[in-house]
Amino acid sequence: MYMENTVKARAAEPKARRFGEGSACLPSEARREVERAVAARRRAADTVAVSDALLVATELTTNAIIHGGGITNFRVDVDGPGIRVSVCDRSDRLPAAPKAVDDPQRRGDLGGRGWPIVCRLAREVRVRELPAGGKCITAVLPLP
């Protein structure tokens, strides 16, 4: 059994197209949906695990907005001992780890840290191409 929560998209600009049921446009909306899904399914959850899920939802939605042409769908499911966060976007480009640079502290380098965070926190990460174009990234995190 799983609990599914989705949110409607909010137009980022007056001319922006709404993406329909099951979409989120802002990382803050994604975080709220993760919190609601966990609260609806469990009376108490490990705060570190929930924090990890919130961070993954934030990173995936932010990456979809910045690198993926916008979010086309967002979904969070609490299933047994885990939480599944899925974010779809318009881009066919697969996520990639940042390139090695000479500056180990990466001063002046914006971004590039989100994908490694997602991969480190999730016990499973799947990227699948969508039939109409774009991709869907699903991260599954343990929720003890």
Side-chain angles (χ1 to χ4, degrees), residues 14-133:
K15 295 181 181 179
R17 206 176 103 222
R18 289 186 175 265
F19 306 124
E21 190 69 23
S23 299
C25 280
L26 299 173
S28 60
E29 293 172 326
R31 286 191 300 273
R32 280 193 297 276
E33 287 308 308
V34 167
E35 289 170 337
R36 284 185 197 123
V38 171
R41 184 75 167 98
R42 297 174 173 252
R43 290 198 172 99
D46 181 279
T47 56
V48 173
V50 173
S51 294
D52 289 350
L54 294 172
L55 180 56
V56 166
T58 299
E59 292 298 337
L60 289 178
T61 54
T62 300
N63 286 350
I65 292 166
I66 293 172
H67 306 291
I71 298 166
T72 58
N73 198 0
F74 173 82
R75 180 175 172 161
V76 57
D77 304 307
V78 177
D79 185 11
I83 184 164
R84 182 180 313 115
V85 178
S86 298
V87 178
C88 302
D89 65 38
R90 291 184 174 88
S91 175
D92 294 329
R93 203 172 105 207
L94 299 177
K99 295 178 184 173
V101 293
D102 292 334
D103 180 6
Q105 295 178 345
R106 297 183 61 184
R107 293 176 292 240
D109 191 16
L110 297 176
R113 294 168 186 85
W115 184 243
I117 289 170
V118 169
C119 292
R120 175 171 270 180
L121 294 177
R123 75 170 172 227
E124 177 186 343
V125 178
R126 287 175 291 175
V127 180
R128 65 181 170 90
E129 294 177 356
L130 299 173

